[in-house]
Amino acid sequence: MSRVAYVDRQYVLHRSAAVHIEDRGYQFADGVYEVLAVVAGRIVDEDPHLVRLKRSLAELRIAAPMSDAALKIVMREVVRRNRVQYGILYLQISRGVARRDHSFPAATKPVLVITSRTRKPTDSGITEQGVAVITLPDIRWQRCDIKSIALLPNVLGKQLAREAGAYEAWQVDREGHVTEGTSTNAWIVTGDRTVVTRKADNAILNGITRLAILDIIRREGYRFVERSFTVDEAKSASEAFLTSTTNGLVSVVKIDGIPVGSGEPGQLARRLCDHYRAHTAAAAA
Ligand code: PDD
């Protein structure tokens, strides 16, 4: 079966899909994106993703290429045409195609690209054993709340993690506080079983998985606080974990080579992981 992509108002074969060489996404990283999970052929948390997408577009003053209702139809059609049951949908909107000039072009239509592919659920080994993270200085800009396609520091950070034999890099701000991973949000559980994650300020992306986990925490009555934490506090926490659309919730069992808690996935993280799985399955129902 041939894969299909949606590119600038057309469904095209993925292998021959292309954007213009003067697309501002290509030249300036002048665009935004979303990654959504597909579970049992259904898109998970579609509405919150679209709310965040609209916010990112508004912050960068890029026009929405179509209404939410139309976007939902195209997203679902891309999933359907690619026969994705379990996987991801990638959506990107650039400011459009124009002769290269830093300032906004006068009349340019945004270019929308949507792809979808089958992706195995996170390796059960990863979920069972947890993962290691390293820490790195956060060298990103001051608007990490915008889901922009400019991801070079994230790319470099993830590569350094891989080269260090770790799964993710937790980025650390100038005050020594963890901001987030290169493509995930960061969490710890303190000795008194309080779940801690940074508040969603301009230094982090407000993850849709983060929001879902916060909802679960509130509903289940766990103790939690949104505040910054240092690398040392994380290393001496009783549990740590990361969240994202592509990972769900994964325990962090080592930070810079130091075991967190027992060095195994913690009990609270496991429970939250189960709740989150139920949440995604419900979205697919
Ligand atoms: N990454 N922080 C950063 C920097 C991210 O890039 C992501 C998502 C998250 C988690 O957000 P969410 O829960 O909405 O997926 C946090 C996506 C999956 C990616 O770039 O592939």
Side-chain angles (χ1 to χ4, degrees), residues 211-222 271-272 275-277 279:
L211 291 172
I213 298 283
L214 286 177
D215 273 351
I216 291 165
I217 287 172
R218 282 189 203 101
R219 191 189 69 209
E220 298 298 315
Y222 294 115
R271 282 206 205 125
L272 290 173
H275 283 297
Y276 183 70
R277 286 221 183 100
H279 165 78

Side-chain angles (χ1 to χ4, degrees), residues 45 49 52 185 187 206-214 243-249 276:
D45 289 340
H49 277 282
R52 185 172 68 185
N185 287 118
W187 307 68
N206 194 0
I208 303 305
T209 321
R210 175 186 183 280
L211 291 172
I213 298 283
L214 286 177
T243 59
S244 78
T245 298
T246 42
N247 287 284
L249 186 157
Y276 183 70

Side-chain angles (χ1 to χ4, degrees), residues 33-36 49 52 88 90 140 144 147 151 154 168 171 180-186 204-211 243-248 276:
Y33 77 106
E34 284 292 328
V35 179
L36 299 91
H49 277 282
R52 185 172 68 185
I88 55 165
Y90 177 80
R140 300 174 303 163
C144 295
K147 199 159 172 61
L151 290 172
N154 310 57
E168 176 62 299
Q171 302 167 106
E180 61 181 338
T182 64
S183 64
T184 57
N185 287 118
I204 67 163
L205 184 76
N206 194 0
I208 303 305
T209 321
R210 175 186 183 280
L211 291 172
T243 59
S244 78
T245 298
T246 42
N247 287 284
Y276 183 70

Side-chain angles (χ1 to χ4, degrees), residues 41-272:
R42 305 274 291 264
I43 296 167
V44 178
D45 289 340
E46 194 176 46
D47 287 329
H49 277 282
L50 291 185
V51 168
R52 185 172 68 185
L53 175 67
K54 277 206 282 199
R55 181 180 180 277
S56 296
L57 288 169
E59 291 296 322
L60 298 183
R61 294 194 274 153
I62 297 175
M66 58 179 73
S67 69
D68 276 6
L71 201 50
K72 283 182 184 178
I73 291 170
V74 179
M75 282 163 45
R76 290 166 194 179
E77 185 61 14
V78 173
V79 170
R80 194 189 67 78
R81 289 194 188 208
N82 288 285
R83 296 188 198 151
V84 176
Q85 283 298 307
Y86 292 88
I88 55 165
L89 178 128
Y90 177 80
L91 182 162
Q92 173 176 322
I93 300 168
S94 78
R95 195 179 304 277
V97 175
R99 196 174 67 192
R100 189 175 183 281
D101 179 36
H102 285 65
S103 60
F104 297 173
T108 294
K109 285 203 282 300
V111 173
L112 167 64
V113 171
I114 303 179
T115 58
S116 183
R117 68 177 170 88
T118 298
R119 183 180 181 278
K120 288 198 198 97
T122 303
D123 197 318
S124 59
I126 286 177
T127 317
E128 284 310 309
Q129 284 148 39
V131 296
V133 304
I134 57 167
T135 60
L136 292 174
D138 194 334
I139 58 169
R140 300 174 303 163
W141 72 331
Q142 287 166 28
R143 292 306 308 274
C144 295
D145 54 311
I146 300 171
K147 199 159 172 61
S148 117
I149 56 174
L151 290 172
L152 210 37
N154 310 57
V155 167
L156 294 175
K158 188 78 90 187
Q159 181 61 21
L160 287 175
R162 290 288 188 269
E163 287 168 5
Y167 188 72
E168 176 62 299
W170 278 7
Q171 302 167 106
V172 182
D173 68 16
R174 290 200 186 141
E175 285 73 50
H177 293 122
V178 173
T179 53
E180 61 181 338
T182 64
S183 64
T184 57
N185 287 118
W187 307 68
I188 58 170
V189 180
T190 59
D192 68 351
R193 299 179 68 71
T194 302
V195 183
V196 182
T197 198
R198 190 183 179 109
K199 73 174 180 343
D201 53 17
N202 289 357
I204 67 163
L205 184 76
N206 194 0
I208 303 305
T209 321
R210 175 186 183 280
L211 291 172
I213 298 283
L214 286 177
D215 273 351
I216 291 165
I217 287 172
R218 282 189 203 101
R219 191 189 69 209
E220 298 298 315
Y222 294 115
R223 260 198 303 273
F224 85 97
V225 55
E226 286 177 89
R227 65 158 171 85
S228 299
F229 56 86
T230 63
V231 175
D232 280 346
E233 189 181 5
K235 285 177 183 167
S236 55
S238 47
E239 300 183 29
F241 57 94
L242 54 82
T243 59
S244 78
T245 298
T246 42
N247 287 284
L249 186 157
V250 172
S251 285
V252 170
V253 294
K254 232 184 230 179
I255 301 173
D256 293 334
I258 310 279
V260 178
S262 64
E264 286 177 10
Q267 211 185 33
L268 195 41
R270 280 180 191 279
R271 282 206 205 125
L272 290 173

